[in-house]
Amino acid sequence: MKKDLPARELCRLVRRVLALPNPHGTEILVNSRADVALACGAHGVHLPGDSIPPKTLRSVTPPGFLIGVSAHSLDELRAAEAEAADFAVFGPVFWTPSKAAYGSPQGLDRLREAARAVAIPVLALGGVTELNAAECLAAGAAGIAGISMFQ
């Protein structure tokens, strides 16, 4: 799915996804667009690191609304935790063209350090595949996030 869909089109898509059968209770989060997530009744939002602080956003969200934040350093992870994020997505762990702008891959040792640095769940992102996902979990990631592995 394109990250830059117009609001109206994204809203239609989110509503269609939310209307699908959901026997496992999967929570649906909208990438970068808290306004669309709230308007459509999504379960939460995933924010870029330079976005509105989660504490500020919480003043207009319902109880239980999930807020995740992207982090590319230990300082950004700690800031996400201090700002009341529910979880952080850390990376890139491995090389991937979609995350090249965020610098060199951080690797499993840095992921391990990141997972230990904060109390909130840390998900691994960036070059995660079926072949290395278990390594991310073994390094302490609470889960994995991905783009290409789910397309």
Side-chain angles (χ1 to χ4, degrees):
M1 172 173 49
K2 289 183 65 173
K3 196 174 182 176
D4 57 351
L5 289 175
R8 189 176 300 248
E9 191 176 335
L10 180 58
C11 192
R12 276 194 294 267
L13 176 61
V14 171
R15 286 189 172 136
R16 282 197 321 260
V17 169
L18 289 167
L20 292 171
N22 190 356
H24 301 290
T26 301
E27 293 175 309
I28 308 301
L29 281 66
V30 177
N31 196 26
S32 302
R33 297 293 306 264
D35 58 337
V36 172
L38 289 165
C40 295
H43 302 102
V45 66
H46 177 256
L47 300 172
D50 61 354
S51 191
I52 185 171
K55 272 186 186 174
T56 303
L57 185 56
R58 292 230 184 263
S59 67
V60 297
T61 62
F65 188 83
L66 295 172
I67 302 174
V69 176
S70 290
H72 307 288
S73 70
L74 296 181
D75 286 342
E76 289 178 5
L77 274 174
R78 290 183 184 108
E81 181 177 50
E83 285 291 342
D86 292 300
F87 66 92
V89 178
F90 181 77
V93 177
F94 306 105
W95 187 87
T96 181
S98 67
K99 299 297 175 197
Y102 298 103
S104 298
Q106 303 208 38
L108 291 168
D109 288 338
R110 190 70 163 171
L111 173 61
R112 185 175 291 106
E113 187 179 355
R116 291 179 179 157
V118 292
I120 60 174
V122 174
L123 284 71
L125 175 69
V128 179
T129 67
E130 285 184 52
L131 300 175
N132 61 27
E135 293 176 87
C136 293
L137 298 175
I144 59 167
I147 299 170
S148 60
M149 74 182 290
F150 296 110
Q151 292 180 344

